[in-house]
């Protein structure tokens, strides 16, 4: 909260998450924290949103209908304009091979949904934004 | 089969022996029997001829003695002659003259016998005069002796001089002459009565031949002078050899009776030998027949056994290929044909190395692959890849070295393992979504972002949060256990500081222990522990699982102590509690999946039973081991060691075939 006044607020965060309830919970939390939040319910919409306007950070689920999280990571990495966008993976997957794969595809960090509280997620978002933009 | 097997060889010898024995019987033994009989008969015959000679001489003497007496011109002279003859010849017992009418005219002195009763009456005069004497008998004398009667015609008047000759003296003399042995010599009269020369034999045998067919036969031949006769006959109880001949000039026959057993003893021995040989030959033949039947049976059993083994091999779920050191295939069961796509008839005896066919090349690669250990082999089939486990066994078949490849197709096992793994991943993913939703919702509520909560509401929500956390932990443990079994847990070894983990643990568990009134103590080492290579994330799981157990299963007021230090090339970590302990009868199962001790289930309903399974595997993956000792009611100590040098960390993660086995 004390960072509201800094440059982090109003930053554009894209949440790609197919579960409506989780999506709402986390977007409301980020909203309350002062971020500008966009949401996408699948990979395709997510890619469209990214193409329309470049977000400051992406919170990405991995298992998605259609284009999945891994593919989004791959596409971003292969696009010179987008490869610098920090991506935080927020997934139900959590095996070391999934984590390794996501990391090797350029994910900034990997969070297993059930192991993090909304507060901790926000903390992580701020941490990354600070690292990248401040 | 190239060599004649030993039993067959033996039995050929036995057949040969039987043949030799039979031949010996026919060629040597049977003629020998005849020979022996001939020789024996010949000696009997000689004996008989000698007896005949002696007897004839005796008769001649007696006849001439009586004739001398009869040579008187009147009765008084004859009477005198009679007395003189009696004196001269002791064999002459009684002499008398009688008329043709049978009236006694004169008699020698001392004759007090009624002779009519003992004398034969018949006298054929014509013959009598022609021959000049007649012999008749035998007669029984009053003193029980045996004798015979010599009759001669008187020259001076028409009367007959008869002399009763006692055989007694002659018999005694005859024995002395030397016919001995067991033979019985006797005279056979014209009416078939025997006159024994041997007194002892006379007493013993009586009239042996009387009324027998043999006596009749001997008598029938009496007309043929000097004809020798020989025959064997059975008397009750013994078999005798009879040799006889007519006395020349006298109407009697001499007979020698000898027990066959004695005369032909040699023959019997040979006969016994012959019988023995024959029996031996028969026994051998019988054995031969039995054995050949056994051989036939055995070969039948072997044949059946072979079919049985072939049936088993053909129905095996694993493929079997047999080949020699030149990689020439001699056997493939249907399963092996199915897996390799090659038929036995296509591959049998073919030099695989010089074959152009791709599938034969694949087969060659398969049988050339691997050593004695089981290894996995991927076969590029026509439609799909097969994952095979190959084991090579070597054996010796008909004197040649051969190899057997056992092919176990694990494609299905791997497929099932993958399906299981995918199922668990998907299930965990599906579980995690609502668990995360609950967690986040409760957290948002607890942080009063939606609205104020009263203390009661807050308390309930906190309890719900803890329950949800346990659920999340369980899902996580399930995933971990599943990955450990597959050998895909994924370790990240890096240089790290164990002390940081210990501090984290203290920080995390301090409040929890305090809430449960448990004294938690961590003994840091006096000597600072250097950084070393391990997987800090996984070792943290070990440490936290052990601490969680220790605190959960220790009653309020108890204590839990963690200590660690370098010990040789290892880091030793010990965790001692004063908890409820693990029942002794369940200690063997502590590290198995889903194990929860009876006493623990009663006081703590939560717990997956996966923590120690995971911990043990993590420690083992580090090249160390996790052990414990426990006493119910007193406490438990868990202790693990992990190597400080990365060289001791085993290479690669392996799937667990059977967890208990790997312990």
């Amino acid at each position: 909260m004390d960072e509201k006044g800094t440059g982090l607020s109003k930053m554009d965060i894209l949440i790609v998450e197919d579960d409506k309830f989780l999506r709402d919970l986390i977007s409301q939390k980020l909203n309350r924290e002062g971020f500008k939040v966009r949401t996408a319910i699948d990979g395709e919409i997510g890619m469209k949103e990214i193409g329309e306007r470049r977000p400051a950070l992406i919170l990405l689920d991995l298992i998605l209908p259609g284009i999945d999280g891994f593919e989004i990571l791959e596409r971003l990495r292969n696009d010179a304009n987008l490869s610098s966008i920090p991506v935080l993976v927020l997934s139900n997957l959590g095996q070391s091979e999934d984590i390794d794969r996501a990391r090797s595809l350029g994910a900034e960090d990997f969070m297993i949904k059930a192991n993090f509280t909304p507060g901790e997620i926000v903390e992580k978002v701020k941490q990354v934004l600070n690292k990248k933009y401040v | 089969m190239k060599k004649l097997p030993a039993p067959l060889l033996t039995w050929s010898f036995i057949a040969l022996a039987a043949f030799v024995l039979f031949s010996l019987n026919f060629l040597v033994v049977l003629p020998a029997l005849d020979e022996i009989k001939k020789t024996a008969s010949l000696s009997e015959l000689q004996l008989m001829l000698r007896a005949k000679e002696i007897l004839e001489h005796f008769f001649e003497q007696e006849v001439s003695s009586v004739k001398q007496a009869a040579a008187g011109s009147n009765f008084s002279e004859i009477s005198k002659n009679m007395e003189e003859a009696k004196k001269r010849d002791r064999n002459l017992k009684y002499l008398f003259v009688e008329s043709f009418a049978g009236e006694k005219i004169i008699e020698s002195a001392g004759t007090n016998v009624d002779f009519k009763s003992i004398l034969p009456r018949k006298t054929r005069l014509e013959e009598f005069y022609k021959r000049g004497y007649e012999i008749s008998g035998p007669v029984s004398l009053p003193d029980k002796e045996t004798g015979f009667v010599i009759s001669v015609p008187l020259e001076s008047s028409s009367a007959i001089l008869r002399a009763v000759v006692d055989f007694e003296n002659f018999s005694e003399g005859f024995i002395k002459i030397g016919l001995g042995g067991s033979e019985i010599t006797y005279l056979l009269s014209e009416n078939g009565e025997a006159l024994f020369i041997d007194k002892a034999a006379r007493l013993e045998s009586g009239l042996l031949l009387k009324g027998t067919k043999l006596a009749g036969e001997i008598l029938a031949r009496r007309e043929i002078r000097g004809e020798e006769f020989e025959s064997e006959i059975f008397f009750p109880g013994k078999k005798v050899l009879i040799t006889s001949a007519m006395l020349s000039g006298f109407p009697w026959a001499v007979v020698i009776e000898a027990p066959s057993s004695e005369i032909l003893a040699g023959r019997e021995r040979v006969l016994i030998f012959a019988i023995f040989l024959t029996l031996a030959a028969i026994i051998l033949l019988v054995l031969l027949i039995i054995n050949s039947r056994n051989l036939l049976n055995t070969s039948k059993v072997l044949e059946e056994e072979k079919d049985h083994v072939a049936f088993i091999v053909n129905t095996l779920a694993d493929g079997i290929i047999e080949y020699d050191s030149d990689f020439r295939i001699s056997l493939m069961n249907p399963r092996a044909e199915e897996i390799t796509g090659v038929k036995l008839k296509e591959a049998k005896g073919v030099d695989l190395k010089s074959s152009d066919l791709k599938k034969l090349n694949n087969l060659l690669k398969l049988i050339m692959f691997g050593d004695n250990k089981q290894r996995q082999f991927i076969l590029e089939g026509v439609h799909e890849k097969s994952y095979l486990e190959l084991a090579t066994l070597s054996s010796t078949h008909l004197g040649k070295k051969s190899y057997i490849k056992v092919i176990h197709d694990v494609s299905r096992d791997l497929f099932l393992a993958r399906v299981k793994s995918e199922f668990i991943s998907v299930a965990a993913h599906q579980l995690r979504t609502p668990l995360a939703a609950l967690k986040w919702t409760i957290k948002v509520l607890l942080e009063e972002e939606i609205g104020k909560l009263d203390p009661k509401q807050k308390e309930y929500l906190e309890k719900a949060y803890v329950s949800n956390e346990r659920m999340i932990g369980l899902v996580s443990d399930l995933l971990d256990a599943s990955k450990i079994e597959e050998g895909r847990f994924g370790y990240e070894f890096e240089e790290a500081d164990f002390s940081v983990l210990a501090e984290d643990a203290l920080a995390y568990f301090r409040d929890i222990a305090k809430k449960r009134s448990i004294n938690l103590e961590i003994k840091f080492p006096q000597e600072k522990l250097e950084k070393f290579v391990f997987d800090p994330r996984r070792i943290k799981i070990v440490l936290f699982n052990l601490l969680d157990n220790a605190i959960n299963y220790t009653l309020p007021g108890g204590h839990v102590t963690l200590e660690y230090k370098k010990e040789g090339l290892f880091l030793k970590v010990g965790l001692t509690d004063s908890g409820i302990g693990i029942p002794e009868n369940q200690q063997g199962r502590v590290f198995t999946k889903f194990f929860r001790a009876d006493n623990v289930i009663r006081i703590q309903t939560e717990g997956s039973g996966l923590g120690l399974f995971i911990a043990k595997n993590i420690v083992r993956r580090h090249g160390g081991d996790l052990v414990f000792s426990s006493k119910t009611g007193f406490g438990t100590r868990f202790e693990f060691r992990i190597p400080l040098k990365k060289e001791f960390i085993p290479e690669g993660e392996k799937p667990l075939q059977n967890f208990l086995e790997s312990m």
Side-chain angles (χ1 to χ4, degrees):
Chain A
M1 300 259 184
D2 46 309
E3 275 159 317
K4 246 181 180 173
T6 70
L8 291 186
S9 60
K10 299 291 173 196
M11 273 200 171
D12 185 9
I13 292 172
L14 176 66
I15 301 171
V16 186
E17 166 65 61
D18 61 333
D19 190 276
K20 184 180 186 300
F21 187 58
L22 291 183
R23 196 170 62 233
D24 289 350
L25 267 173
I26 201 69
S27 65
Q28 280 163 25
K29 178 80 182 174
L30 286 167
N31 265 329
R32 282 196 293 276
E33 293 291 333
F35 294 104
K36 208 173 144 194
V37 181
R38 279 186 287 157
T39 59
I41 64 162
D42 63 24
E44 209 156 336
I45 297 169
M47 280 315 291
K48 217 177 94 191
E49 288 287 343
I50 296 167
E52 273 174 12
R53 188 151 41 91
R54 180 195 160 100
L57 184 140
I58 304 169
L59 264 178
L60 180 67
D61 192 6
L62 288 176
I63 299 183
L64 295 167
I67 304 166
D68 70 7
F70 289 116
E71 199 172 336
I72 291 175
L73 281 169
E74 213 169 324
R75 287 189 189 185
L76 291 178
R77 193 184 61 173
N78 294 338
D79 189 324
N81 292 326
L82 306 175
S83 62
S84 61
I85 302 172
V87 181
L88 271 176
V89 170
L90 186 61
S91 173
N92 283 319
L93 301 180
Q95 298 312 306
S96 50
E97 59 211 58
D98 304 320
I99 296 169
D100 289 348
R101 192 174 161 202
R103 284 233 165 94
S104 70
L105 288 172
E108 194 64 32
D109 210 340
F110 195 109
M111 285 178 286
I112 299 167
K113 286 175 194 169
N115 292 358
F116 288 83
T117 60
E120 286 164 344
I121 295 165
V122 171
E123 279 308 306
K124 186 63 95 180
V125 167
K126 286 177 182 169
Q127 211 179 310
V128 172
L129 288 175
N130 265 325
K131 200 171 109 191
K132 286 276 169 187
Y133 301 106
V134 181
Chain B
M1 298 209 180
K2 281 167 195 167
K3 270 191 281 182
L4 206 59
L8 209 59
L9 207 67
T10 313
W11 289 108
S12 312
F13 275 122
I14 288 176
L16 194 67
F19 176 72
V20 167
L21 289 180
F22 273 123
S23 315
L24 215 64
N25 255 354
F26 282 106
L27 296 176
V28 180
V29 178
L30 294 181
L33 278 176
D34 259 7
E35 203 65 35
I36 286 167
K37 193 175 176 186
K38 260 183 206 158
T39 314
S41 306
L42 210 60
S43 72
E44 286 299 291
L45 207 59
Q46 277 169 353
L47 216 56
M48 189 271 292
L49 288 174
R50 209 170 138 216
K52 186 184 168 223
E53 206 179 304
I54 292 164
L55 281 163
E56 277 168 356
H57 180 70
F58 171 69
F59 278 114
E60 272 163 25
Q61 246 180 4
E62 296 304 311
V63 167
S64 94
S65 206
V66 176
K67 272 184 176 172
Q68 223 178 314
S73 53
N74 54 53
F75 284 126
S76 67
E77 203 177 323
I78 290 165
S79 183
K80 214 175 95 196
N81 284 352
M82 278 161 48
E83 292 307 323
E84 274 170 20
K86 236 180 102 178
K87 267 181 215 157
R88 202 170 52 241
D89 185 345
R90 284 191 307 128
N91 296 333
L92 299 179
K93 212 83 181 183
Y94 315 105
L95 292 102
F96 61 94
V97 176
E98 77 177 352
S99 68
F100 284 106
E103 282 169 48
K104 205 184 296 169
I105 300 167
I106 50 168
E107 59 181 335
S108 62
T111 307
N112 266 336
V113 193
D114 176 14
F115 285 108
K116 283 181 189 138
S117 61
I118 59 168
L119 287 179
R121 283 289 123 205
K122 297 184 292 179
T123 303
R124 276 169 291 185
L125 285 175
E126 205 177 319
E127 242 178 88
F128 179 50
Y129 277 100
K130 194 178 162 192
R131 197 190 292 148
Y133 65 90
E134 192 186 61
I135 293 175
S136 51
V139 290
S140 294
L141 303 182
D143 55 359
K144 307 274 189 211
E145 302 291 350
T146 315
F148 58 95
V149 176
I150 298 172
S151 307
V152 294
L154 289 184
E155 285 170 16
S156 52
S157 68
S158 51
I160 304 164
L161 173 64
R162 293 192 197 272
V164 177
V165 184
D166 187 350
F167 218 53
E168 197 65 22
N169 293 324
F170 173 73
S171 297
E172 276 165 23
F174 186 74
I175 295 161
K176 279 174 199 139
I177 285 168
L179 277 174
S182 317
E183 292 96 344
I184 300 166
T185 310
Y186 56 92
L187 288 162
L188 192 65
S189 75
E190 47 202 319
N191 50 14
E193 282 180 78
L195 188 68
F196 284 90
I197 295 169
D198 181 339
K199 194 178 170 186
R202 181 169 67 220
L203 292 173
E204 191 183 301
S205 315
L207 297 176
L208 212 54
L209 286 177
K210 190 174 184 184
T212 65
K213 196 181 155 204
L214 189 64
E217 273 183 61
I218 294 168
L219 292 175
R221 286 159 199 256
R222 64 190 303 142
E223 299 311 319
I224 310 155
R225 291 243 151 173
E227 189 182 329
E228 292 140 15
F229 180 84
E230 120 193 16
S231 184
E232 264 188 302
I233 188 166
F234 272 111
F235 287 108
K238 67 175 179 179
K239 197 177 180 187
V240 294
L241 182 70
I242 305 282
T243 314
S244 79
M246 295 305 296
L247 295 178
S248 57
F250 304 100
W252 292 3
V254 60
V255 177
I256 291 184
E257 223 180 83
S260 293
S261 59
E262 206 160 296
I263 305 297
L264 300 174
R267 182 171 172 256
E268 264 175 20
R269 275 198 293 275
V270 174
L271 196 65
I272 288 169
F273 179 59
I275 290 169
F276 170 76
L277 281 188
T278 312
L279 281 179
I282 288 169
I283 288 170
L284 288 183
L285 277 178
V286 167
L287 282 178
L288 198 67
I289 290 165
I290 291 172
N291 187 61
S292 61
R293 272 191 56 197
N294 281 349
L295 272 180
L296 279 177
N297 280 344
T298 309
S299 70
K300 207 175 134 197
V301 168
L302 280 176
E303 195 66 28
E304 277 172 13
E305 200 61 30
K306 195 183 137 201
D307 287 349
H308 184 59
V309 170
F311 174 77
I312 291 171
V313 168
N314 286 341
T315 49
L316 270 183
D318 281 353
I320 303 264
I321 301 179
E322 191 189 38
Y323 54 96
D324 63 14
S325 35
D326 295 327
F327 298 112
R328 280 179 202 272
I329 298 210
S330 53
L331 183 145
M332 278 172 92
N333 69 349
R335 182 70 183 122
E337 292 181 335
E338 199 183 310
I339 293 170
T340 59
V342 179
K343 291 275 174 204
L344 175 59
K345 56 184 176 202
E346 299 173 275
K348 196 169 185 173
V350 173
D351 185 359
L352 297 176
K353 275 174 273 187
S354 59
S355 170
D356 296 331
L357 277 171
K358 186 177 178 264
K359 58 182 183 179
L360 289 186
N361 273 326
N362 275 345
L363 184 60
L364 180 66
K365 269 185 221 155
L366 186 148
I367 63 173
M368 283 175 74
F369 178 85
D371 42 30
N372 288 333
K373 290 175 194 159
Q374 280 208 346
R375 285 169 64 178
Q376 218 170 63
F377 179 79
I378 298 165
L379 182 74
E380 301 274 353
V382 188
H383 305 296
E384 56 189 15
K385 276 185 192 172
S386 299
Y387 294 87
L388 309 176
E389 263 174 22
L390 302 179
T392 313
L393 313 166
S394 61
S395 77
T396 308
H397 181 51
L398 297 179
K400 276 180 78 180
K401 188 134 179 88
S402 74
Y403 300 90
I404 291 164
K405 211 100 198 173
V406 182
I407 311 167
H408 185 57
D409 191 344
V410 289
S411 307
R412 189 178 154 74
D413 298 357
L414 293 176
F415 170 74
L416 284 178
R418 203 173 64 236
V419 168
K420 179 191 148 198
S421 165
E422 276 169 7
F423 170 76
I424 289 178
S425 294
V426 169
H429 176 253
Q430 298 297 346
L431 283 171
R432 267 179 173 166
T433 303
L435 289 174
L438 268 174
K439 177 178 176 129
W440 292 359
T441 309
I442 296 169
K443 203 70 189 172
V444 167
L445 287 173
L446 276 174
E447 282 169 6
E448 299 183 329
E449 289 176 27
I450 310 297
K452 274 275 179 202
L453 297 171
D454 64 39
K456 203 78 188 164
Q457 289 168 334
K458 209 165 183 170
E459 189 194 326
Y460 279 169
L461 280 173
E462 264 161 8
K463 279 181 180 162
Y465 187 79
V466 169
S467 285
N468 193 51
E469 282 299 291
R470 288 213 173 267
M471 196 67 177
I472 290 164
L474 175 63
V475 169
S476 189
D477 283 354
L478 268 175
L479 270 169
D480 287 351
S482 153
K483 292 290 162 183
I484 283 172
E485 283 189 318
E486 284 172 45
R488 298 200 304 162
F489 195 31
Y491 288 86
E492 281 164 30
F493 291 96
E494 60 188 71
E495 198 165 80
D497 189 350
F498 183 80
S499 300
V500 172
L501 293 189
E503 275 154 17
D504 281 356
L506 185 61
Y508 182 84
F509 285 103
R510 192 189 283 127
D511 290 346
I512 297 169
K514 205 171 179 181
K515 261 186 209 163
R516 284 181 56 85
S517 312
I518 288 165
N519 177 26
L520 173 65
E521 190 190 349
I522 296 190
K523 288 182 182 167
F524 292 95
Q526 290 169 338
E527 189 190 343
K528 196 183 174 321
L529 186 70
E530 298 293 322
K531 281 185 173 186
F532 68 100
V533 174
F534 65 102
D535 182 339
R537 211 157 60 93
R538 303 303 193 201
I539 290 297
K540 187 175 173 181
I541 293 175
V542 176
L543 202 56
F544 274 49
N545 278 351
L546 293 179
L547 271 165
D548 194 47
N549 280 347
I551 289 165
N552 274 328
Y553 305 134
T554 297
L555 300 176
H559 57 81
V560 173
T561 311
L562 172 74
E563 95 271 347
Y564 65 96
K565 63 175 179 189
K566 188 180 157 189
E567 199 181 80
L569 295 167
F570 289 84
L571 165 69
K572 187 178 97 176
V573 182
L575 186 66
T576 313
D577 67 47
S578 61
I580 56 172
I582 303 162
E584 205 171 318
N585 61 352
Q586 295 172 19
Q587 290 186 359
R589 294 190 293 122
V590 162
F591 294 115
T592 56
K593 264 189 302 180
F594 304 113
F595 169 78
R596 297 203 66 215
D598 290 348
N599 54 347
V600 153
I601 294 171
R602 267 181 264 124
I603 62 163
Q604 266 282 1
T605 49
E606 289 142 347
S608 65
L610 291 167
L612 288 174
F613 170 83
I614 293 167
K616 175 104 177 171
N617 277 285
I618 291 171
V619 173
R620 286 173 74 100
R621 175 66 187 90
H622 278 77
D625 205 3
L626 170 65
V627 294
F628 72 94
S629 59
S630 182
K631 194 162 184 218
T632 324
F634 287 91
T636 305
R637 176 177 167 84
F638 274 89
E639 193 177 289
F640 71 87
R641 277 156 217 268
I642 49 175
L644 295 168
K645 293 202 168 185
K646 66 176 179 193
E647 289 79 27
F648 293 130
I649 300 171
E651 258 175 63
E653 197 182 351
K654 288 191 191 77
L656 298 182
Q657 293 287 348
N658 180 338
F659 182 62
L660 279 178
E661 202 177 87
S662 69
M663 284 174 76

